[in-house]
Amino acid sequence: MNTALNENAWEDRLRTGLGEAPAPDFETWRIRRAEALDALKPAIVPQTHRYRRILVTSSKWIAAAAIILATGLFLLRPGNSIGRTAFAGAIPGVDDPLTMTWTTTYYARATSVDGKRTWLQEERRLHAYRHPGRYRETFLDKEGQPRMIEITDARTGRMLVLDLKGKKAVLKAAIGHPDVRGPFAWVGEALRDRMVAKVLPVKSVSLQGTREIDGLQANVVRAMIVENEDRGPARRDFLFDRKSKRLAAIYVTNENDFDPETAPERKQAVEEKSSMWMPVARWEHEIVVDPKLDAADFRLDPPAGYAYEAQAKPTITEDEMAGFLGAAARFNGDVFPDSPFAAFDQVKFNAASLKQPAAQTAAEKELIQLHDKYLTREVFQPPARRFVDDQTEPDTFHYVGAGAKIGQADRLVAWYTLKNGSKLRALYADLSVKDVTPADLPLSLPE
């Protein structure tokens, strides 16, 4: 794909890029992670446990929408910015889609075993969506042939994984939280509300000229989204076909200046072995709205001739929740975190993960081992969050452990009621868990 930007002046880009005022007739696409929160799926299939620990910027908030002209005028602001009212109309493919297909091309930066060389590794996956809330993702082998398929029902939270070569079908809990409204329902939130999932503000949306994608000339709309306040806004590019005004592609990058077509690593030879993979970017492209899709391809029933296994939903027990918060506290210098759902500094954790085992501290090793253990079990939420969702009565979990020193036997960290239980349970800073009464708590409970 040729991604060279058109450098024409603004007036020329406005006239030639937008053309005549179109009727609201456009198409769009979707986002995986993840993040962010998502989640999110990572930008590349994890190759090792070490790779899986490197969190990828969640991509679930990439804005995509057709540009609507109101009374013949494009709603612009200084600096090529686009006002939110430019996206006020319904967006086909975003609002109540019936069927969609698209391709994701992932890019990861691989590092050689001796740490001296890097190169880009590509992977393609094929996606399909069918209303209501059914997703199908096809993984390809090195020859580009299907090797595995994941079929997800967002309504039930279940996923069927098909090993095509091994003829094995596994029914298990879905990864993340696929949106039952459709793959790109969040796009409307991003463009209209300038806020994704109610927590991620969109700093700006602007027109950035034109570029070519999949043989199409497309207008580029760029959104800068505040995903991490310490790292600044993240760049997300949405490409709209200049003729039809439909969404043609989305570019997601973890490095705002990275372009896979011009990156120096693009010219480096791919080596058989690597010491680390780091996801850097992906294209969502080859988007088709309203294709004919067979309902049978989205069923959670195993195909004939496949060995079948149904797995229970992975969860976190009370003891595991306490142990994980203790490990996080030791990693944080023997201090409990401000939030049990963001229990450690991710940058610090990533740095520890990249160390050789001999250079890691005991606290680093403990937290890394627990983190990998839960990933292997396919617990992709923070362990405390999975415990709260699975094991406690709604709205009964209260965390007051911020700043507590590990080992303090009389320092309350959290209290809650287990599902189908009647007694209050409390976690203390010495990691003991016991039954308590309302009189033991620092706050009065609602009647």
Side-chain angles (χ1 to χ4, degrees):
M1 59 185 73
N2 178 7
T3 57
L5 282 174
N6 186 329
E7 297 297 335
N8 291 342
W10 164 245
E11 290 293 334
D12 289 337
R13 284 187 286 148
L14 177 59
R15 294 191 180 96
T16 62
L18 295 176
E20 296 297 323
D25 182 16
F26 7 81
E27 305 170 12
T28 40
W29 46 272
R30 99 147 225 169
I31 178 175
R32 204 183 90 295
R33 327 26 204 210
E35 134 155 55
L37 350 71
D38 359 321
L40 278 304
K41 294 184 180 179
I44 292 291
V45 176
Q47 300 298 314
T48 64
H49 286 308
R50 171 177 293 181
Y51 171 78
R52 295 181 74 167
R53 289 193 294 265
I54 308 300
L55 292 192
V56 185
T57 302
S58 176
S59 58
K60 61 184 177 184
W61 42 80
I62 296 71
I67 301 172
I68 299 175
L69 302 185
T71 63
L73 297 177
F74 189 65
L75 302 179
L76 297 173
R77 299 186 185 279
N80 301 357
S81 64
I82 305 173
R84 69 179 67 189
T85 52
F87 305 95
I91 308 171
V94 170
D95 303 307
D96 303 317
L98 296 179
T99 61
M100 295 183 68
T101 61
W102 68 98
T103 298
T104 304
T105 300
Y106 298 95
Y107 299 89
R109 180 182 292 117
T111 302
S112 59
V113 175
D114 60 11
K116 296 181 179 180
R117 296 171 302 284
T118 60
W119 63 91
L120 287 184
Q121 196 77 37
E122 295 184 20
E123 182 203 351
R124 283 169 55 88
R125 295 187 197 172
L126 310 179
H127 303 268
Y129 170 80
R130 191 174 192 277
H131 177 79
R134 292 290 180 98
Y135 295 82
R136 181 183 176 98
E137 183 172 5
T138 302
F139 297 75
L140 308 176
D141 60 21
K142 293 181 179 180
E143 287 71 40
Q145 298 301 310
R147 63 176 180 83
M148 184 175 71
I149 295 174
E150 293 181 350
I151 302 170
T152 303
D153 187 336
R155 298 169 302 172
T156 63
R158 300 295 280 169
M159 169 191 287
L160 183 69
V161 180
L162 301 177
D163 178 353
L164 301 183
K165 295 182 179 179
K167 298 293 183 181
K168 182 178 181 181
V170 178
L171 182 67
K172 59 182 182 179
I175 297 174
H177 297 279
D179 199 328
V180 71
R181 300 172 298 172
F184 309 124
W186 56 269
V187 170
E189 298 174 348
L191 294 179
R192 295 164 186 145
D193 302 334
R194 300 297 163 95
M195 182 72 68
V196 177
K198 299 183 179 179
V199 294
L200 299 172
V202 180
K203 184 176 182 180
S204 66
V205 177
S206 60
L207 187 65
Q208 295 291 319
T210 63
R211 59 198 306 172
E212 184 180 312
I213 182 75
D214 298 330
L216 300 174
Q217 288 296 321
N219 297 315
V220 180
V221 175
R222 177 168 297 169
M224 302 300 293
I225 302 174
V226 182
E227 301 168 0
N228 186 313
E229 293 183 356
D230 295 332
R231 301 176 187 174
R235 165 192 164 191
R236 303 290 182 254
D237 289 348
F238 321 116
L239 282 64
F240 297 89
D241 182 359
R242 288 176 59 187
K243 292 183 178 179
S244 67
K245 308 306 178 188
R246 72 171 180 86
L247 185 72
I250 302 167
Y251 179 60
V252 180
T253 177
N254 295 335
E255 301 172 8
N256 285 353
D257 296 328
F258 177 84
D259 187 333
E261 296 297 324
T262 60
E265 298 98 327
R266 186 79 179 190
K267 299 180 180 179
Q268 301 302 318
V270 175
E271 301 182 17
E272 183 177 354
K273 296 181 179 180
S274 63
S275 61
M276 181 179 68
W277 285 42
M278 182 73 72
V280 287
R282 77 169 182 267
W283 277 100
E284 307 278 7
H285 60 119
E286 298 177 351
I287 297 167
V288 179
V289 176
D290 294 332
K292 292 183 178 180
L293 298 177
D294 191 340
D297 291 335
F298 294 84
R299 293 173 182 161
L300 298 183
D301 302 320
Y306 274 64
Y308 178 66
E309 175 187 357
Q311 295 182 352
K313 178 182 177 181
T315 190
I316 296 293
T317 67
E318 186 178 56
D319 288 343
E320 288 174 330
M321 176 275 296
F324 184 82
L325 290 181
R330 284 185 282 271
F331 182 82
N332 297 334
D334 293 334
V335 177
F336 279 84
D338 291 341
S339 168
F341 310 130
F344 52 85
D345 184 291
Q346 188 62 52
V347 174
K348 180 181 175 183
F349 181 81
N350 288 347
S353 299
L354 296 176
K355 293 180 182 178
Q356 294 298 321
Q360 294 171 343
T361 66
E364 290 171 343
K365 287 181 179 178
E366 180 187 25
L367 187 60
I368 288 169
Q369 288 171 357
L370 286 177
H371 189 271
D372 286 351
K373 173 184 175 181
Y374 298 142
L375 281 181
T376 301
R377 256 165 50 188
E378 299 189 349
V379 175
F380 298 112
Q381 289 178 290
R385 170 58 67 191
R386 177 59 63 88
F387 168 76
V388 171
D389 291 347
D390 291 354
Q391 309 290 356
T392 69
E393 290 290 341
D395 302 321
T396 65
F397 184 88
H398 302 278
Y399 180 81
V400 292
K405 295 284 188 179
I406 195 166
Q408 294 178 291
D410 59 348
R411 178 63 158 85
L412 187 65
V413 171
W415 74 86
Y416 47 87
T417 302
L418 293 175
K419 282 187 175 178
N420 301 318
S422 58
K423 296 181 178 180
L424 289 168
R425 299 280 286 170
L427 168 67
Y428 290 84
D430 64 350
L431 303 185
S432 63
V433 181
K434 62 186 73 173
D435 292 338
V436 295
T437 66
D440 298 318
L441 304 178
L443 302 173
S444 298
L445 296 179
E447 295 295 335

